[in-house]
Amino acid sequence: MDLDAGVSTNVETTGDSGPKDEQAAGIEVEYRPNRHSCGVDNSPSVIELRSVTGRQVGVLRADQPHDFESCRAAAGTGFGPVSPGNGRWTDRGLVEGAALCSVTDKGAVAMAVLEKVGENESAPTVTGKLVVWSKD
């Protein structure tokens, strides 16, 4: 997901390295198969939500203020890969009302609020709103 542009797109991957460089230029957060946990038929068996390497992304908990300062502070906390299922999203604070916060590649602060988390525990869909505070 490119948080500056507010778009989520499917991008072609290049094996373990993730999206092709030209496609990944503005991407801050990925939701894609983990290529290191492939099933028997070599198809990805685990989906992960994770920040793109080098991006500042963190979780703003649902009970915290959803404002610029809180989001900027949460972005600096880091966000490692997290797979859905077995309560892992919930344990990491990824529940309805929480937000993913990032300092984007353009220096803006973005807050993606999780308004609806789908019930498919192995690969939930997430919908919500995006707020971007411009660097300028």
Side-chain angles (χ1 to χ4, degrees):
M1 173 177 249
D2 181 341
L3 297 174
D4 283 304
V7 295
S8 178
T9 58
N10 292 325
V11 295
E12 184 179 340
T13 60
T14 55
D16 292 338
S17 63
K20 290 183 178 180
D21 289 341
E22 65 273 11
Q23 294 174 317
I27 294 175
E28 282 81 33
V29 180
E30 295 179 318
Y31 185 50
R32 69 178 181 94
N34 174 352
R35 298 290 178 193
H36 297 289
S37 13
C38 293
V40 177
D41 62 354
N42 205 31
S43 63
S45 60
V46 176
I47 303 289
E48 284 185 334
L49 177 68
R50 63 184 181 185
S51 62
V52 174
T53 303
R55 302 288 199 257
Q56 295 180 34
V57 180
V59 176
L60 183 61
R61 302 247 176 206
D63 60 350
Q64 295 176 302
H66 283 52
D67 56 26
F68 172 78
E69 289 299 329
S70 298
C71 192
R72 185 173 65 177
T77 62
F79 181 78
V82 60
S83 301
N86 296 327
R88 288 179 286 234
W89 276 36
T90 304
D91 292 345
R92 296 283 296 275
L94 295 169
V95 298
E96 291 177 4
L100 293 175
C101 290
S102 175
V103 174
T104 71
D105 64 319
K106 294 181 181 172
V109 174
M111 178 175 68
V113 180
L114 309 178
E115 292 181 333
K116 176 75 174 147
V117 179
E119 297 191 19
N120 179 348
E121 190 172 304
S122 64
T125 57
V126 178
T127 58
K129 67 179 177 182
L130 176 65
V131 176
V132 180
W133 291 277
S134 174
K135 180 181 177 183
D136 300 327

